[in-house]
Amino acid sequence: MKSIKKLVLPVTLSASVLTLGACGNGSDNSGETLIETKAGDVSSQDVLDKMGSDEVAQNAFQIVLNKVLKDKYEDKVDTKKLDKQVDKQIEQYGGKKKFEEALQQEKPGATLKDFKESQKTSKYQEEFINDSIKVSDKEIEENAKKGSHILIKVKSEDSKDGLSDKEAKKKADDLLKKIKDNPDDFDKIAKEETQDEGTKDKNGSLGFVLKGQMDEAFEKSLFKLKDGEISDVVKSQYGYHIIRADKGEASKKQKESLKEQYRQMKIQKEPKLIINAYKKLLDEYKVDYKDKDIKKSIEDNILNAKALQQQQMQAAQQQTAQ
């Protein structure tokens, strides 16, 4: 079964990083010669022409963005700590050779140095997004709630092992009666009866849930409950639920994680927030596009809310398919 919680994917302006030569259309400069043959030479400009202006624009923009983010945030990021984390990953993987082989399988041509740099770039981008999209403690308090549930699945394309609607409803009603007679048995019954494999071993616990992260009917019921209260049977797209609002405040680490998720949800809901933040950053660094085709491609395909939404949808589809 698909996850009860909706996907919250990190929002980045992503493109593969290549080292580019000259990239001006209509320039007299034919570019640096990369390969010589009796049949004719291959220049960097030949490669750029073959790639096309959109691909050139994506890579050129990503290189520029990486340079800007590094300049702005390198002093705020513990890069030595990140390198040590990668070294630990290498050790756990069985050594440098095995780790590099795995890198090559995932992305031919990638090096250990590239991987370490990508970890730093991701951290710079995280710092930038945190600076640009503020989330307060109050927003988390108002939009997050801790909860547990028991799910009885209804048979569907995603749940071949579910019950018929009538059978699932009856089973949920019977379980609710048992719980109302003995509320302290909720955890035990959840562990034995819930059909949500993701929470079964945690006595049905979902941890903290953010508004907008769950099925609408489920969410509406959870956020209406007081701490310790148990809902009536609630139907969602997955089946029938019995929901309990759990007591407990988020730890500092949990709160930071919730803020990150909520920040990404805000961006997914309103992509212009992050697009405008990137534009402001580029203005601060006086980024000047010398090629009109490159500029148009960046404005149309990268610094564009619709393009970012499409990128998010594609990422979500790929994640769901995995």
Side-chain angles (χ1 to χ4, degrees):
M1 187 185 69
K2 294 177 184 177
S3 172
I4 289 291
K5 288 186 179 180
K6 294 177 185 175
L7 292 166
V8 181
L9 299 169
V11 177
T12 59
L13 300 182
S14 61
S16 58
V17 178
L18 300 175
T19 304
L20 301 176
C23 57
N25 287 357
S27 170
D28 291 335
N29 184 4
S30 60
E32 178 188 359
T33 299
L34 302 176
I35 303 172
E36 291 182 345
T37 76
K38 289 181 179 179
D41 299 342
V42 177
S43 71
S44 57
Q45 188 62 46
D46 293 330
V47 175
L48 294 174
D49 290 341
K50 182 71 174 176
M51 288 169 65
S53 61
D54 286 347
E55 191 175 350
V56 172
Q58 281 189 330
N59 286 286
F61 179 81
Q62 192 65 57
I63 292 168
V64 169
L65 183 60
N66 290 350
K67 286 178 181 289
V68 168
L69 290 172
K70 182 177 181 179
D71 185 83
K72 192 171 182 69
Y73 292 105
E74 189 173 25
D75 292 342
K76 297 182 180 180
V77 171
D78 189 343
T79 54
K80 289 183 180 178
K81 183 180 177 181
L82 291 176
D83 283 340
K84 286 179 181 178
Q85 288 174 352
V86 174
D87 291 338
K88 191 174 181 181
Q89 283 180 266
I90 293 169
E91 187 180 333
Q92 292 171 341
Y93 218 89
K96 183 178 176 182
K97 185 177 179 181
K98 287 186 177 179
F99 191 83
E100 288 181 327
E101 286 173 354
L103 275 181
Q104 288 295 319
Q105 287 179 355
E106 188 173 330
K107 187 177 180 182
T111 65
L112 183 56
K113 183 180 178 182
D114 293 334
F115 183 76
K116 285 188 173 184
E117 280 303 309
S118 73
Q119 301 305 295
K120 293 168 190 174
T121 298
S122 293
K123 194 64 180 176
Y124 301 149
Q125 189 141 29
E126 183 183 317
E127 290 287 337
F128 166 69
I129 292 174
N130 289 351
D131 276 354
S132 304
I133 314 295
K134 301 296 184 183
V135 177
S136 67
D137 287 349
K138 187 178 179 182
E139 281 181 283
I140 296 303
E141 288 167 12
E142 291 175 349
N143 292 280
K145 197 168 185 69
K146 195 175 184 182
S148 297
H149 78 135
I150 297 167
L151 169 66
I152 306 302
K153 294 190 287 186
V154 172
K155 195 169 185 177
S156 68
E157 287 186 8
D158 292 327
S159 303
K160 302 295 185 185
D161 56 338
L163 303 175
S164 69
D165 191 282
K166 186 176 180 180
E167 289 171 328
K169 176 69 163 61
K170 184 179 185 307
K171 185 168 184 178
D173 285 337
D174 291 344
L175 291 176
L176 180 61
K177 187 177 183 305
K178 287 182 182 180
I179 291 168
K180 284 193 171 180
D181 289 341
N182 295 286
D184 290 343
D185 286 348
F186 185 99
D187 288 354
K188 180 184 174 185
I189 292 172
K191 191 173 184 67
E192 292 173 352
E193 300 288 354
T194 188
Q195 292 178 292
D196 178 9
E197 296 301 324
T199 63
K200 192 178 186 72
D201 291 339
K202 297 182 283 187
N203 301 332
S205 175
L206 288 160
F208 285 92
V209 174
L210 287 166
K211 284 182 181 177
Q213 207 172 31
M214 307 290 287
D215 176 275
E216 188 177 349
F218 184 103
E219 187 176 286
K220 187 176 180 181
S221 179
L222 173 61
F223 279 85
K224 277 170 61 177
L225 296 173
K226 295 177 182 177
D227 286 354
E229 248 186 339
I230 295 169
S231 73
D232 290 330
V233 172
V234 177
K235 187 175 184 182
S236 78
Q237 62 180 307
Y238 302 102
Y240 290 93
H241 307 258
I242 301 166
I243 306 166
R244 182 183 67 192
D246 294 333
K247 298 176 183 178
E249 291 186 7
S251 65
K252 184 178 179 181
K253 187 176 180 180
Q254 286 173 323
K255 194 172 284 187
E256 286 307 309
S257 175
L258 288 168
K259 282 185 177 182
E260 176 59 26
Q261 292 177 62
Y262 192 67
R263 187 177 288 113
Q264 295 294 339
M265 287 171 67
K266 285 175 77 170
I267 295 169
Q268 288 179 9
K269 187 176 179 181
E270 195 175 351
K272 280 188 177 181
L273 287 173
I274 195 66
I275 295 295
N276 290 339
Y278 277 114
K279 287 180 177 179
K280 185 177 178 181
L281 176 69
L282 297 173
D283 285 344
E284 178 188 341
Y285 275 81
K286 302 186 184 304
V287 173
D288 183 15
Y289 306 106
K290 299 297 185 182
D291 184 291
K292 65 179 182 180
D293 291 332
I294 297 291
K295 180 180 180 182
K296 186 176 187 306
S297 181
I298 289 171
E299 290 174 348
D300 290 348
N301 303 317
I302 302 175
L303 296 177
N304 180 287
K306 286 185 179 179
L308 182 58
Q309 280 181 320
Q310 188 175 14
Q311 183 188 107
Q312 291 167 356
M313 287 174 62
Q314 290 172 346
Q317 288 168 357
Q318 289 172 0
Q319 187 74 23
T320 303
Q322 290 174 358

